[in-house]
Structure formats: structure tokens, C-alpha cells
Amino acid sequence: MTRIMVARILIALGAGAALLVIAGGSLNASNFCFAQRRFLSEDELLAAAVADIPKLVELTQERGRSLLRYADKSTDFSNVTIVNYKDASDFMQNNPNCCRIGRFDGPREPLFPPDWWTVVSGYAAKIVTVNFKLRFLTPTGKESFQNDPFYVWIDSCGKIKPYA
């Protein structure tokens, strides 16, 4: 084989590899779930994300109290008991219409939608706004709540991802 022929073969292989990367990246950006080998609708993405949310909002007592204090500095929350959700259906029953794809209100922490590379690489595809009731028992035993919005990244299959 001549050098020219080897160079052509290497160029063809490189071009083929580049096309595969571009095709995979465009599928990641368009809600194609490789694990299920199909495109997911936004409703399916949200349903998958919501299934993981009760674990995410499962709070230690101290973490829950600190979230309550963050939103309402004038109240003493040191004697309240945080009430966690039992499962995804309990979460959804108490928080209908909790979750939407996109960012719709001001964040408490600087979290932005995934950047171009994060989406194309398949790590995360969307940002989801989650509004839920942070439930707690007052010292008298009465259940109360405070609305607590937060944001999560999800991949093209709806799995929640840590922020990169």
C-alpha cells in the first residue's frame, strides 16, 4: 500500500467516526433515550424524573430545618419535625403539577440549563423545575408546609443527574 492510500483510509475512518459522534450528539439533544432505543415525550421525561424525586427531597431533620429557616428567617424552626414523602405517588398526590421542564422562577442557587456540550455528550438534556411542599410538624403536632422550589438536570431517559 502506498502512503496516499493509507492516508485516504485514515481520513475515511476519521470522517466516519466524526459522523457517528455528530449523529449520537444530535440524538442526545432531541430526547432520544439510548437505553430504551426510542424518543421520549416531555411527559415521559417528567414521569421518569418524578419517580426519583421523593429520594431527592428526603431530608434529614437538620437539612429540612435549614431550608425552612432560609425561606423564613423570622420563625424559629428548631423544634419542628420534618415529614418526608413515602414514595412517588405520595409526592405526586401532595404536589400535583409540581414539575415542569424548564426554569420558571428565580433560583436559590445558580443552576442553569445544561450547556451545549453537556447535552450533546448525553450527560444531561433538560432542566426541570420542581415545586413541592416541605412538610413539617409544629411543636403542637399540627402539620404545616412551606413551598420549596428547586431545580434538577435530567438526561434523555429522565434520570436525575448531579450538576456538572
Side-chain angles (χ1 to χ4, degrees), residues 115-151:
D115 61 29
W116 176 85
W117 176 250
T118 304
V119 172
V120 169
S121 70
Y123 182 75
K126 308 273 184 193
I127 188 171
V128 174
T129 299
V130 180
N131 287 302
F132 77 104
K133 295 174 185 170
L134 177 54
R135 301 182 306 177
F136 60 95
L137 298 176
T138 64
T140 63
K142 179 182 173 201
E143 186 169 316
S144 189
F145 69 91
Q146 177 176 292
N147 286 324
D148 191 40
F150 70 99
Y151 306 91

Side-chain angles (χ1 to χ4, degrees), residues 56-72:
L56 242 151
V57 299
E58 189 175 315
L59 299 168
T60 63
Q61 295 298 313
E62 191 49 44
R63 174 74 178 130
R65 287 185 197 112
S66 87
L67 286 172
L68 291 168
R69 279 191 296 272
Y70 182 85
D72 182 1

Side-chain angles (χ1 to χ4, degrees), residues 78-90:
S78 59
N79 293 322
V80 302
T81 302
I82 302 301
V83 178
N84 284 311
Y85 293 96
K86 293 178 217 141
D87 53 27
S89 65
D90 182 33

Side-chain angles (χ1 to χ4, degrees), residues 17-38:
L19 285 174
L20 285 174
V21 168
I22 290 168
S26 65
L27 285 173
N28 283 330
S30 59
N31 296 349
F32 184 80
C33 175
F34 283 94
Q36 297 180 27
R37 293 185 200 98
R38 66 186 185 95

